[in-house]
């Protein structure tokens, strides 16, 4: 049971003539045998709702400041060609009735509400975007988060953690960016990966003949993200890597105590929090802790890689950079803007090193 | 005068209990002093509309098959914090009332309808996407099309032709792809560019020391797409290039007659039509004509580059490939999938050569 919600808006240079507009549209709604209700808006323009026999609901508003909005909600199984005809007829008629005052006509692709698959996964900077998702591959709550893997026609399987698009099979540019985009020489080096449960970083890193990769994850997605992880997660131990399915913090602390160090630390745990609101304080606290411990296990010539967030979230990014400047161990950093295909927004990646 | 349109949907495993749900929500609407109208849906669930003093309109529908949709439209100048509170209160209450049957709760970023800047530019495959557009830089109708240049926070200025996102300043990957992604050696070669009025291809090509570039455009955007075109469009003639502000077809025909040929032909005129519907027949006709003439002016070892369309539009892409197989001069082709930052969808590019 899903609802398709259509919108058709006319932005005008002057308010529409209510009675002429309504009179002009009457025949269209009558033809559809829709029952009209005119509402008292207490001076806020004209509002009428129309109910059709098949559950169709139409809402016509003539705003006092020169905007006409039309909404049409129809239920699954409705005749879409007929709905299109109705919208075409309305658009055509309104184009005639409002002639000379029209600044913009906008008819958006229908919102699909309550459908079997959810196609709307807003960007980190809060924009509404629709994905070409056609299948729910996996959907489960772990002890830590909700894990979804959804299939997109163009991006392949997409991993979505707690509603955030994390990585799609199309997103090799993400993995390349968080490994330094080809600027590093991994051969013979020791690498620590925090998170990265999708296996993308591990899969690319083993190709570069490192001495040893240590990876710490709390879950894995080796079944549904094969294009990302290959067969590298089928075994938790390989010639040059070891996957520890454990919580990062205690292990990092143990490494610090033992004086164990790495050439590269790649933090793929999470993006930086999108705000500095109090409810995200604990996220920032966690980030600071991980950063601090990671820098401690980094060799003097080593590099620490991490994702930031959407390039538009300047406040959160500044907060993070402030944090970097206040670390107990002095560091320098550079950043890079990268287009990750499935994100539908540009993403910042950080490279951090000891001063 | 813009309207913010909020949606809040509950997908359920069983129909909601009408009277219990409505009774449970009553106090929220009463607190807001909204006037309620209950509609006769002729058996299609429950529908009530609520009108607030400030022009706010709320629509509550309990569908018979287990979906609850809530819409809230409010006008510019409304208190957004108050609106958020209302939505939070409703979401919280519905979470309690519908407990045990909830499969999904979805609250989308508000649709902005009738605003000064239009943020919604659907993808070629028809998905609803919102851009972070904050300014209309340029908006004019030419003899051929509507030309808009809008400023996006992350993509820079975006060129939009007849409502289609054409190129943003972030889109160097587009220009690189349509030039063969670094696989070609342009030094000393003769290049013909069809279209490409944004100057991106010309700007990149002149860096590669070609013998001569001939470019044919019907308009230019040298003022607002500086990051794309640099200063290359400030003069229509340079050391190794010449821009002809003319219609392609007659010039191409003249080249054919004169026997003039090129090492590379780059067609940046338009994407391939998205459908094979009769109303697009003339577009296909134009495409066939350009293709035919272009292959005729191509040297035996030459290459022809062109964009295709969104990777999801398989029918249109097949039609195009069929066309390639039926050309009077036999050709072979390869294709490549590329992520163009501002497109928010993956794009196909073609390389075509004489057999």
């Amino acid at each position: 049971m899903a609802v398709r919600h259509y919108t058709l808006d006319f932005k005008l240079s002057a308010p529409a003539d209510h009675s002429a507009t309504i009179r002009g549209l009457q025949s269209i709604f009558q033809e559809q045998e829709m029952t009209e209700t005119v509402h008292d808006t207490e001076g806020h323009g004209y509002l009428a709702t129309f109910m059709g026999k098949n559950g169709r609901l139409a809402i016509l508003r003539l705003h006092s400041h020169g905007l006409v909005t039309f909404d049409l909600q129809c239920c699954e199984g409705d005749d879409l060609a007929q709905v299109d005809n109705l919208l075409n007829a309305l658009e055509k008629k309104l184009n005639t009735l409002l002639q000379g005052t029209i600044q913009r006509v906008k008819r958006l692709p229908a919102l699909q509400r309550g459908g079997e698959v959810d196609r709307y996964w807003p960007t980190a900077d809060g924009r509404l975007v629709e994905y070409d998702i056609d299948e729910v591959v996996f959907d489960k709550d772990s002890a830590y988060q909700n894990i979804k893997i959804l299939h997109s026609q163009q991006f392949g399987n997409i991993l979505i953690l707690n509603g955030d698009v994390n990585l799609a099979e199309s997103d090799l540019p993400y993995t390349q960016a968080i490994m330094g985009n080809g600027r590093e020489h991994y051969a013979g080096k020791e690498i620590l990966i925090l998170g990265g449960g999708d296996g993308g970083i591990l899969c690319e890193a083993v190709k570069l003949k490192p001495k040893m990769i240590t990876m710490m994850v709390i879950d894995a997605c080796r079944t549904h993200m094969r294009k990302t992880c290959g067969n590298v997660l089928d075994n938790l131990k390989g010639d040059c890597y070891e996957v520890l399915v454990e919580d990062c913090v205690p292990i990092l602390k143990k490494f610090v105590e033992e004086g164990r160090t790495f050439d590269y630390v790649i933090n793929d745990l999470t993006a930086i929090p999108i705000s500095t609101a109090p409810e995200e304080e604990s996220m920032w606290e966690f980030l600071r802790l991980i950063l601090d411990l990671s820098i401690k296990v980094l060799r003097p010539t080593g590099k620490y890689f991490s994702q930031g967030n959407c390039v538009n979230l300047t406040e959160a990014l500044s907060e993070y950079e402030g944090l970097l400047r206040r670390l107990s161990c002095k560091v320098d950093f550079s950043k890079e803007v990268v287009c990750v295909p499935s994100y539908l927004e540009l993403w910042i990646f950080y490279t951090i090193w000891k001063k």
Side-chain angles (χ1 to χ4, degrees), chain A residues 55-74:
Chain A
R56 263 184 222 166
L57 167 66
I59 302 148
L60 175 68
R61 282 191 89 173
L62 313 181
H63 289 269
S64 1
H65 303 289
L67 173 66
V68 174
T69 62
F70 180 73
D71 292 78
L72 183 63
Q73 297 182 2
C74 58

Side-chain angles (χ1 to χ4, degrees), chain A residues 194 216 246-256 269 286 289-290 293:
Chain A
L194 310 177
M216 293 193 273
E246 290 200 60
D247 196 352
C248 283
V249 176
I251 307 269
L252 271 174
K253 283 184 174 163
K254 205 184 83 190
F255 286 170
V256 172
L269 288 170
F286 175 69
L289 176 63
I290 294 284
L293 291 168

Side-chain angles (χ1 to χ4, degrees), chain A residues 78-89:
Chain A
D78 203 336
D79 183 333
L80 295 187
Q82 217 182 77
V83 170
D84 260 346
N85 287 342
L86 168 56
L87 283 160
N88 290 342

